[in-house]
mmCIF file of all heavy atoms in Angstrom:
data_model
loop_
_atom_site.group_PDB
_atom_site.id
_atom_site.type_symbol
_atom_site.label_atom_id
_atom_site.label_comp_id
_atom_site.label_asym_id
_atom_site.label_seq_id
_atom_site.Cartn_x
_atom_site.Cartn_y
_atom_site.Cartn_z
ATOM 1 N N GLU A 7 0.915 -4.813 25.235
ATOM 2 C CA GLU A 7 1.260 -3.829 24.193
ATOM 3 C C GLU A 7 0.310 -2.633 24.259
ATOM 4 O O GLU A 7 0.725 -1.488 24.137
ATOM 5 C CB GLU A 7 1.133 -4.454 22.800
ATOM 6 C CG GLU A 7 2.347 -5.243 22.371
ATOM 7 C CD GLU A 7 2.118 -5.943 21.019
ATOM 8 O OE1 GLU A 7 1.245 -5.513 20.229
ATOM 9 O OE2 GLU A 7 2.802 -6.942 20.799
ATOM 10 N N LEU A 8 -0.966 -2.935 24.449
ATOM 11 C CA LEU A 8 -1.968 -1.863 24.478
ATOM 12 C C LEU A 8 -1.699 -0.907 25.632
ATOM 13 O O LEU A 8 -1.803 0.305 25.475
ATOM 14 C CB LEU A 8 -3.387 -2.439 24.569
ATOM 15 C CG LEU A 8 -3.861 -3.231 23.351
ATOM 16 C CD1 LEU A 8 -5.223 -3.868 23.606
ATOM 17 C CD2 LEU A 8 -3.929 -2.343 22.112
ATOM 18 N N SER A 9 -1.348 -1.460 26.810
ATOM 19 C CA SER A 9 -1.113 -0.513 27.905
ATOM 20 C C SER A 9 0.170 0.278 27.677
ATOM 21 O O SER A 9 0.254 1.419 28.108
ATOM 22 C CB SER A 9 -1.145 -1.165 29.295
ATOM 23 O OG SER A 9 -0.695 -2.455 29.237
ATOM 24 N N CYS A 10 1.144 -0.306 26.965
ATOM 25 C CA CYS A 10 2.354 0.476 26.670
ATOM 26 C C CYS A 10 2.042 1.622 25.708
ATOM 27 O O CYS A 10 2.408 2.775 25.977
ATOM 28 C CB CYS A 10 3.423 -0.401 26.018
ATOM 29 S SG CYS A 10 4.183 -1.507 27.167
ATOM 30 N N VAL A 11 1.361 1.319 24.593
ATOM 31 C CA VAL A 11 1.112 2.394 23.622
ATOM 32 C C VAL A 11 0.126 3.421 24.171
ATOM 33 O O VAL A 11 0.174 4.590 23.788
ATOM 34 C CB VAL A 11 0.612 1.901 22.232
ATOM 35 C CG1 VAL A 11 1.626 1.043 21.562
ATOM 36 C CG2 VAL A 11 -0.706 1.224 22.304
ATOM 37 N N ALA A 12 -0.728 2.991 25.111
ATOM 38 C CA ALA A 12 -1.712 3.933 25.670
ATOM 39 C C ALA A 12 -0.997 5.116 26.318
ATOM 40 O O ALA A 12 -1.465 6.253 26.254
ATOM 41 C CB ALA A 12 -2.582 3.217 26.699
ATOM 42 N N ARG A 13 0.166 4.847 26.906
ATOM 43 C CA ARG A 13 0.881 5.892 27.654
ATOM 44 C C ARG A 13 1.602 6.887 26.744
ATOM 45 O O ARG A 13 1.982 7.955 27.170
ATOM 46 C CB ARG A 13 1.886 5.239 28.610
ATOM 47 C CG ARG A 13 1.194 4.675 29.833
ATOM 48 C CD ARG A 13 2.208 4.146 30.824
ATOM 49 N NE ARG A 13 1.976 2.715 31.018
ATOM 50 C CZ ARG A 13 2.902 1.791 30.891
ATOM 51 N NH1 ARG A 13 4.131 2.103 30.545
ATOM 52 N NH2 ARG A 13 2.601 0.537 31.103
ATOM 53 N N VAL A 14 1.811 6.489 25.477
ATOM 54 C CA VAL A 14 2.530 7.371 24.553
ATOM 55 C C VAL A 14 1.496 8.078 23.685
ATOM 56 O O VAL A 14 0.707 7.414 23.007
ATOM 57 C CB VAL A 14 3.452 6.531 23.629
ATOM 58 C CG1 VAL A 14 4.418 7.421 22.886
ATOM 59 C CG2 VAL A 14 4.175 5.479 24.431
ATOM 60 N N ASP A 15 1.512 9.403 23.692
ATOM 61 C CA ASP A 15 0.449 10.129 23.004
ATOM 62 C C ASP A 15 0.729 10.205 21.501
ATOM 63 O O ASP A 15 1.132 11.243 20.976
ATOM 64 C CB ASP A 15 0.332 11.531 23.607
ATOM 65 C CG ASP A 15 -1.041 12.120 23.349
ATOM 66 O OD1 ASP A 15 -2.023 11.346 23.313
ATOM 67 O OD2 ASP A 15 -1.131 13.338 23.153
ATOM 68 N N THR A 16 0.507 9.100 20.817
ATOM 69 C CA THR A 16 0.792 9.066 19.379
ATOM 70 C C THR A 16 -0.298 8.273 18.670
ATOM 71 O O THR A 16 -1.100 7.602 19.315
ATOM 72 C CB THR A 16 2.171 8.406 19.142
ATOM 73 O OG1 THR A 16 2.380 8.286 17.754
ATOM 74 C CG2 THR A 16 2.238 7.020 19.737
ATOM 75 N N SER A 17 -0.302 8.354 17.327
ATOM 76 C CA SER A 17 -1.338 7.599 16.620
ATOM 77 C C SER A 17 -0.994 6.104 16.604
ATOM 78 O O SER A 17 0.172 5.716 16.729
ATOM 79 C CB SER A 17 -1.509 8.130 15.202
ATOM 80 O OG SER A 17 -0.280 8.424 14.646
ATOM 81 N N VAL A 18 -2.038 5.291 16.457
ATOM 82 C CA VAL A 18 -1.856 3.835 16.442
ATOM 83 C C VAL A 18 -2.732 3.285 15.324
ATOM 84 O O VAL A 18 -3.866 3.743 15.129
ATOM 85 C CB VAL A 18 -2.308 3.186 17.782
ATOM 86 C CG1 VAL A 18 -2.028 1.687 17.780
ATOM 87 C CG2 VAL A 18 -1.653 3.852 18.975
#
Side-chain angles (χ1 to χ4, degrees):
E7 277 175 22
L8 294 174
S9 32
C10 286
V11 297
R13 283 185 241 127
V14 192
D15 202 33
T16 175
S17 41
V18 184

